[in-house]
Amino acid sequence: MATYVLIPPAGSGPWYWHLLAGQLRDRGHDVVAVDLPCADDSAGLTEYADAAVRAIGDRTDLVVVAQSFGAFTGPLVCDRVGAELLVLLTPMVPSPGESPGEWWENTGYAHARQVQAEREGWTPEQDGDPGVIFFHELPPPLVEEAKAHARDQSGTPFEKPWPLGAWPEVPTRALLCRGDRFFPIDFLRRLVSDRLGVTPDEMDGGHPVALSRPRELADRLEEIRREVVGVARATPTRRR
């Protein structure tokens, strides 16, 4: 049994993960859906990591899954707990010394979105419409639930540099969604390759994939966990 630690995107809480959490529990795992202080203007990334570490408590066999803006928090958590695996889901991959607010310009995000909008034929109005960008895979009742559970997102954690000087020593994988209309797939492929030096895993689905494809997402997370953690446990440690 593993403990999946789920760190949500910006402006989201534990509800965002409820369908995925059910899938993972059905597979026999423990799940910690982290409640971040996203609406608290006094809370930055350090406080976000504090909240996650408190929620984990003394649990072990940790698989940290951090989505979108949550990718700025996930590595901070792994730097403080004994995680076996970090999975960055449709991530804002951070770089040492870079603030989340700087990330957008540093990565060329605006140009990538412009290219995507032109390729898809979106009007400026459609490019800013959550129904087009985020909710296109969700049935209307689930869209209404998602809107009802949306949270305010403070700008405080976007202001200060990411505090780690280097990536934590934890096996790290990135899982991207081919139908992501918020972070274009070509953009994320390049970002993951440049900043992590790895080839990302991919699946179908849009940005809020934990809501649109929870079963498929659970399957992919389990595949990655078995591949990474299983190999690590099967490899004997050399005595020095």
Side-chain angles (χ1 to χ4, degrees):
M1 182 184 79
T3 297
Y4 278 89
V5 180
L6 308 179
I7 300 176
S12 300
W15 179 88
Y16 171 74
W17 299 112
H18 74 286
L19 298 176
L20 175 65
Q23 290 288 328
L24 294 172
R25 291 188 177 108
D26 287 346
R27 290 162 168 80
H29 301 298
D30 188 13
V31 177
V32 178
V34 179
D35 190 358
L36 296 177
C38 61
D40 185 350
D41 287 333
S42 70
L45 292 174
T46 298
E47 287 73 27
Y48 283 28
D50 290 343
V53 171
R54 285 194 301 270
I56 292 167
D58 60 359
R59 293 176 173 87
T60 59
D61 302 317
L62 305 176
V63 176
V64 177
V65 180
Q67 182 167 12
S68 198
F69 176 50
F72 271 84
T73 300
L76 303 182
V77 175
C78 291
D79 194 51
R80 294 172 52 180
V81 301
E84 295 187 304
L85 171 64
L86 170 62
V87 180
L88 303 178
L89 179 62
T90 65
M92 293 175 66
V93 183
S95 183
E98 175 184 70
S99 72
E102 295 169 331
W103 181 91
W104 309 93
E105 182 175 355
N106 290 351
T107 59
Y109 172 75
H111 176 69
R113 280 294 302 278
Q114 180 180 354
V115 170
Q116 182 187 40
E118 291 173 355
R119 182 177 65 244
E120 300 293 337
W122 297 334
T123 65
E125 292 76 17
Q126 288 175 313
D127 194 40
D129 182 352
V132 174
I133 303 303
F134 289 104
F135 300 140
H136 56 286
E137 286 197 316
L138 304 184
L142 191 54
V143 171
E144 294 307 310
E145 282 192 72
K147 290 179 178 178
H149 284 87
R151 294 183 171 186
D152 291 335
Q153 174 61 59
S154 170
T156 298
F158 289 83
E159 297 170 356
K160 294 183 179 180
W162 192 59
L164 292 185
W167 203 262
E169 293 186 4
V170 58
T172 302
R173 299 280 286 267
L175 178 57
L176 315 184
C177 291
R178 300 184 191 97
D180 194 334
R181 294 180 175 179
F182 185 59
F183 289 154
I185 185 70
D186 292 341
F187 164 76
L188 281 189
R189 286 174 182 147
R190 174 180 57 80
L191 184 68
V192 168
S193 177
D194 290 348
R195 295 197 167 187
L196 297 178
V198 302
T199 300
D201 297 279
E202 298 182 13
M203 62 177 288
D204 291 334
H207 197 73
V209 66
L211 293 174
S212 63
R213 299 172 184 253
R215 182 184 298 275
E216 185 177 346
L217 177 56
D219 288 341
R220 293 306 305 274
L221 292 173
E222 282 287 82
E223 289 173 7
I224 294 170
R225 182 186 66 84
R226 286 192 293 266
E227 181 179 332
V228 175
V229 177
V231 169
R233 290 180 179 177
T235 303
T237 302
R238 292 184 179 181
R239 294 184 179 180
R240 297 185 178 182

